[in-house]
Amino acid sequence: MKKNFDIFYTSDTHGKIFPVDYATGQEKKCGLLNIASDIGKTGNTLVIDGGDSLQGTPMLEYYLEHKDSFPYHPVAEAFNDLQLDYYTLGNHDFNFGYDAIRDYVRAMKADCLCANVVDLRGEIPIHRTAIHRLDNGLRIGLTGVVTDFVNVWESEEHLKELAVTDPLEAAMDAYNELAGQCDITVCIYHGGYEEDLATGKKLSDTRENIACEIARMCDFDILLTGHQHMAVEGTSLYGAYTVQPPANAEKYIHLKVAVEVADPEPGDNFEYFGQYSGRNTKWERQNRTKGRGMESGGFTGDSLEDGMHSGEVYGISFDSKLEPVGGRHRDRVFRKLLPLEQKTEHWLDEPVGELREPVLSESKLEIGLHGSKVAALFNQVQLESVTADFSCVGLGNQEIGFGKTVSIRDIYAAYTFANTSEVKEITGAVLKEALEQCARYLELDAEGRPYISDYFMKPKIEHYNYDLYAGLDYAFDIRKPVGERVVRLRKLDGTEILPEESYRLVTSNYRATGTGGYEMIGQCPTVYTGADNVQDLIVDYIRKHKELEIPDNYRFEVIY
């Protein structure tokens, strides 16, 4: 007979609670409150989240600045309304330090599973594993892990009382702890795929994403992933069934699982060692044998195999779908959080300053070919906040511009990252190598027309990993091979950049780690670390300039 259960899975919701587009202030079908209205919870349902929940919206920025004014945690309230069962932490959940994680986890009714995070202070209820017994009797063993690139990206201050260990080792240990104790095993991994899921081609040599290795080295039945913001509706991966929802709570995964269990026969007698009494209680069932048929993600066996005992799991089938978020929400939590949302909207609409001329929205191809006025403004903000020769900035995936009047909303829509700034001491040789990485952004088609390279578009869209520079006069010849495309590199006054000369580059803390293919920058010494959010620096800069002109701070050319 079959025993069925459902998993509703979200990940990388990035603080999207209300059904609103913060860039425009208009209603949008998204958010945890609307997902909660979509989901039908039963005793054979698990609701799970994959992390990156505490960062990403102006509402969370406003809440963190004014949290003493609100007697609740908005993200926890939304997930509790969702009837979340289990979740793991994402890398962005560490952005605000120990206390922010502690307050969030304590406010959650769901269990936090993060086997590779060690709480050195001991105030956060983080669990390695859980065993959940469904109403139909199936026992689901779960664990969670987060990419250990948290150690690369996060400030030392935020990790003083938290240790993030190797996720593969933690996942293997957790699987071994769960194996034999449950019918189905689930790993929630806040990380993505290092291989192309269609071809198996290796996509990266870093260990930021190791979902394929986890699937290959462990024997989890289900691998729920995140971090890359890819839409993976469901596929078989080295014997595991894996999914990944896109970001920002606009879609979620509905995974239906059917577990084939033989009907008990007269005289069958199953013995259990130990009494099952909840999370992490160890028990074993004699003669447990699982035979998975994973072709096309489904069970392929037609009958009991020799030596199998009735009542045992002998096959699993999966049916998963990416579901768009609907337009309804339940009133109770919506009304409870509405004062916070209204204060956020009022704050966002505050005018900050005036531009002499509006900046029209810039397409990504235009930016790649000619540079960006928006990036020039952001780079000038960074340059005037520190002592540096050059600045670089990556823009988000959305096309952006500014009207004549600039509000806080406009700034948060244009600069979407909760970054601080760092100054790196680099050489001219390192600068050229970094620019060669940028020069991979464009390719030429058969007719010689430029287009944005698949390197930045697949398997995940990563326009934010194309950096635009200020303080430089530089040119790319994209007819040349990758690695030989920087054909002009000098200061704005015409002075040539010398390979052995030292310079100071101000960039985001994200880029300063070397992420996105910029290991050469990450390996250089850091000479200054800023404490202020770059969004706040932009607000302050525009406020200081009553009628702002876009600075003329770069020269850039693409030859093709």
Side-chain angles (χ1 to χ4, degrees):
M1 64 178 177
K2 285 186 178 180
K3 292 186 177 182
N4 302 317
F5 69 97
D6 296 85
I7 293 175
F8 291 96
Y9 178 58
T10 59
S11 188
D12 298 87
T13 57
H14 287 284
K16 300 297 191 299
I17 295 172
F18 276 80
V20 63
D21 180 352
Y22 285 103
T24 64
Q26 301 300 308
E27 186 174 347
K28 184 178 183 179
K29 291 182 179 180
C30 67
L32 292 175
L33 296 180
N34 284 34
I35 295 176
S37 183
D38 288 350
I39 290 176
K41 184 82 179 284
T42 73
N44 294 317
T45 301
L46 288 173
V47 184
I48 300 173
D49 182 75
D52 269 10
S53 307
L54 301 183
Q55 172 275 336
T57 60
M59 190 185 80
L60 287 186
E61 293 283 342
Y62 186 87
Y63 168 76
L64 289 170
E65 289 291 326
H66 305 87
K67 61 182 180 179
D68 291 341
S69 301
F70 301 96
Y72 50 71
H73 194 293
V75 181
E77 289 287 337
F79 273 127
N80 292 342
D81 188 48
L82 195 69
Q83 299 180 74
L84 192 73
D85 294 297
Y86 302 99
Y87 65 103
T88 197
L89 298 173
N91 57 288
H92 280 293
D93 297 327
F94 293 80
N95 286 170
F96 310 103
Y98 183 97
D99 289 352
I101 296 176
R102 179 201 59 201
D103 295 346
Y104 166 61
V105 175
R106 283 182 172 181
M108 293 280 276
K109 293 180 180 177
D111 288 336
C112 180
L113 304 177
C114 212
N116 68 323
V117 172
V118 180
D119 174 13
L120 303 178
R121 195 196 300 179
E123 296 181 6
I124 306 175
I126 300 175
H127 308 286
R128 288 176 41 77
T129 61
I131 296 176
H132 186 103
R133 184 169 186 169
L134 299 170
D135 282 359
N136 62 18
L138 287 175
R139 293 174 171 89
I140 314 300
L142 304 102
T143 190
V145 288
V146 60
T147 174
D148 59 350
F149 264 51
V150 171
N151 295 317
V152 176
W153 298 319
E154 203 51 65
S155 68
E156 291 183 11
E157 179 70 22
H158 290 166
L159 295 177
K160 284 194 304 184
E161 297 172 299
L162 293 165
V164 182
T165 64
D166 184 271
L168 177 62
E169 291 181 6
M172 292 175 71
D173 288 345
Y175 177 80
N176 290 334
E177 183 178 320
L178 292 167
Q181 301 187 52
C182 48
D183 304 300
I184 303 293
T185 52
V186 179
C187 180
I188 317 162
Y189 171 47
H190 188 86
Y193 308 104
E194 71 275 31
E195 300 171 6
D196 186 295
L197 293 178
T199 66
K201 179 183 177 182
K202 193 74 177 291
L203 299 174
S204 172
D205 291 327
T206 77
R207 292 182 61 78
E208 175 186 349
N209 301 295
I210 59 166
C212 301
E213 189 172 5
I214 290 174
R216 193 166 53 243
M217 299 297 293
C218 304
D219 197 27
F220 290 104
D221 298 300
I222 298 170
L223 179 59
L224 307 174
T225 71
H227 182 58
Q228 286 174 315
H229 301 183
M230 290 171 57
V232 179
E233 197 160 33
T235 188
S236 179
L237 181 67
Y238 298 108
Y241 192 78
T242 189
V243 299
Q244 185 176 138
N248 301 323
E250 295 179 13
K251 292 184 178 180
Y252 59 92
I253 293 283
H254 182 190
L255 173 58
K256 299 179 180 180
V257 186
V259 182
E260 195 75 31
V261 179
D263 293 326
E265 297 177 359
D268 279 346
N269 182 24
F270 294 97
E271 295 181 22
Y272 294 84
F273 299 99
Q275 179 66 37
Y276 179 75
S277 60
R279 185 188 303 111
N280 295 334
T281 301
K282 292 193 173 185
W283 58 277
E284 293 182 7
R285 182 169 68 190
Q286 283 186 324
N287 299 318
R288 181 181 188 276
T289 306
K290 182 187 294 183
R292 278 198 233 142
M294 291 300 299
E295 296 300 322
S296 302
F299 173 63
T300 57
D302 295 320
S303 61
L304 285 171
E305 297 176 11
D306 291 342
M308 283 192 147
H309 295 261
S310 58
E312 294 175 354
V313 172
Y314 69 98
I316 316 167
S317 62
F318 304 94
D319 180 17
S320 55
K321 186 178 181 181
L322 273 168
E323 297 282 3
V325 176
R328 300 175 296 114
H329 55 264
R330 293 193 287 263
D331 279 345
R332 186 186 65 82
V333 176
F334 183 92
R335 292 186 182 279
K336 183 175 183 178
L337 301 182
L338 190 57
L340 170 59
E341 172 64 14
Q342 290 171 332
K343 288 179 182 295
T344 301
E345 293 290 341
H346 179 75
W347 167 67
L348 285 172
D349 286 331
E350 289 181 16
V352 174
E354 296 278 333
L355 293 177
R356 185 160 293 178
E357 297 290 340
V359 177
L360 299 178
S361 181
E362 305 165 318
S363 77
K364 295 302 178 182
L365 184 58
E366 288 172 344
I367 288 171
L369 289 169
H370 307 297
S372 163
K373 291 182 178 181
V374 174
L377 173 61
F378 294 166
N379 273 322
Q380 193 66 27
V381 170
Q382 291 187 159
L383 282 170
E384 293 194 20
S385 68
V386 297
T387 301
D389 301 293
F390 316 116
S391 173
C392 71
V393 66
L395 300 176
N397 286 338
Q398 303 300 317
E399 295 184 4
I400 51 176
F402 285 119
K404 199 168 187 303
T405 300
V406 181
S407 68
I408 293 176
R409 186 188 303 279
D410 297 327
I411 293 167
Y412 273 71
Y415 194 98
T416 59
F417 319 110
N419 289 336
T420 56
S421 57
E422 291 191 20
V423 178
K424 306 287 284 191
E425 186 173 306
I426 64 172
T427 64
V430 166
L431 179 60
K432 183 176 184 298
E433 189 179 358
L435 287 169
E436 290 289 359
Q437 175 70 7
C438 296
R440 301 183 69 170
Y441 189 66
L442 296 174
E443 295 293 348
L444 297 175
D445 65 17
E447 284 73 41
R449 294 172 300 197
Y451 67 94
I452 298 172
S453 168
D454 286 350
Y455 183 85
F456 287 80
M457 299 297 287
K458 296 179 180 179
K460 175 184 174 185
I461 297 173
E462 296 180 340
H463 294 297
Y464 52 80
N465 278 329
Y466 174 62
D467 287 342
L468 298 125
Y469 279 73
L472 281 179
D473 177 358
Y474 62 112
F476 302 153
D477 186 343
I478 59 174
R479 300 170 300 181
K480 292 181 176 291
V482 168
E484 303 175 14
R485 292 180 169 182
V486 178
V487 294
R488 185 169 74 243
L489 180 55
R490 57 198 182 200
K491 295 183 178 180
L492 290 178
D493 64 5
T495 304
E496 293 293 327
I497 301 296
L498 302 177
E500 67 280 1
E501 190 75 24
S502 291
Y503 305 93
R504 289 193 169 194
L505 171 70
V506 57
T507 186
S508 69
N509 61 311
Y510 175 79
R511 184 65 73 236
T513 66
T515 301
Y518 296 90
E519 294 83 2
M520 72 295 293
I521 293 177
Q523 291 164 3
C524 293
T526 298
V527 295
Y528 171 81
T529 299
D532 293 324
N533 187 302
V534 175
Q535 293 161 325
D536 294 335
L537 294 176
I538 297 167
V539 170
D540 291 343
Y541 179 88
I542 294 177
R543 278 180 173 155
K544 289 175 184 176
H545 297 78
K546 299 302 181 184
E547 191 177 34
L548 186 65
E549 281 191 283
I550 299 298
D552 180 20
N553 56 14
Y554 72 95
R555 304 284 182 276
F556 175 57
E557 180 185 9
V558 173
I559 303 166
Y560 60 94

